Amino acid sequence: MKIHPGKLTLLFTLLLTALAAAADHAPPSIPPDVALARLKAGNHRFVSTSISGGKPTAARRAETAEGQHPFAIIVGCADSRTSPEIVFDQNIGDPLRHPHRGQSRRRLCPRQHRICGGHLGARLIVVLGHQKCGAVQAALAGGAAPGHVHALVKAIQPAVRASKGLPGDPLVNAIQENDLLVAKKIHEKARLGDLASQVRVVEGYYDLHSGKVQWAQ
């Protein structure tokens, strides 16, 4: 199953724009495997602890007021239940999240190349889908959708078609397939150049009931 080559996530395009505006200087980077291990450990704490131990927010606010250096970029859905700072038990400025409903795909601006790794130093990009995603549900249902939701549903249709007939829950399959297609397009269209071997793009699936993130890799 192929996505039109002119398509990429709108959320990633806007994310790169935000990174370009916010970048102060190139910070030291954390290797992607180390960053992923940090997210996995944080999610484990979130799942296994009934009450958060708290974070030094005042000190962290002061530290991040003059600039941001997130160790990971979370490309996730615009859902209030999936905040990466909570899901991965991180602090202000640790993960950079750009939310957009359903991970729709749009064009990538040519001026936005290599920003995520070259400026803020992030070497890990996580495409995070979640259980009961409304946009994917709408795409599975088919038919017309109101307003801008129609464009989102249309962009998700390739994932619906690619996952059709697979064993298991059709909604879960479509969400995970959509994350996979988005991750592939990010890697193809971000034009990372020399950074390509240093940047890792992975997919995760967040279970709303358990709080666990299931990793595709």
Side-chain angles (χ1 to χ4, degrees), residues 11-12 15 32 35-37 39-40 71-77 84 88 95-98 103 122-129 179 182-183 186 199-206 213-216:
L11 56 95
F12 190 60
L15 168 63
L36 182 58
L39 290 180
K40 289 181 176 180
F71 71 87
I73 298 170
I74 312 297
V75 178
C77 195
F88 296 113
L96 190 151
R97 179 195 191 195
H98 190 86
Q103 271 86 286
R123 296 291 187 265
L124 177 69
I125 301 172
V126 176
V127 180
L128 185 65
D179 291 345
V182 169
I186 288 175
V199 175
R200 186 176 176 187
V201 184
V202 301
E203 311 95 63
Y205 175 83
Y206 176 64
V213 174
Q214 302 170 13
W215 300 96

Side-chain angles (χ1 to χ4, degrees), residues 6-107:
K7 298 288 186 178
L8 186 62
T9 52
L10 173 61
L11 56 95
F12 190 60
T13 301
L14 296 177
L15 168 63
L16 292 180
T17 303
L19 290 176
D24 303 297
H25 57 277
S29 62
I30 297 177
D33 290 348
V34 175
L36 182 58
R38 188 169 166 181
L39 290 180
K40 289 181 176 180
N43 181 243
H44 177 73
R45 290 193 302 271
F46 171 66
V47 170
S48 59
T49 306
S50 59
I51 300 176
S52 173
K55 300 176 178 63
T57 53
R60 189 61 173 158
R61 278 200 310 272
E63 182 181 347
T64 58
E66 301 305 321
Q68 60 169 327
H69 306 306
F71 71 87
I73 298 170
I74 312 297
V75 178
C77 195
D79 190 296
S80 63
R81 301 166 293 181
T82 62
S83 171
E85 291 84 358
I86 303 297
V87 170
F88 296 113
D89 192 30
Q90 301 299 319
N91 208 335
I92 298 170
D94 288 339
L96 190 151
R97 179 195 191 195
H98 190 86
H100 192 74
R101 187 171 299 279
Q103 271 86 286
S104 64
R105 289 170 287 274
R106 292 295 183 268
R107 294 184 183 275

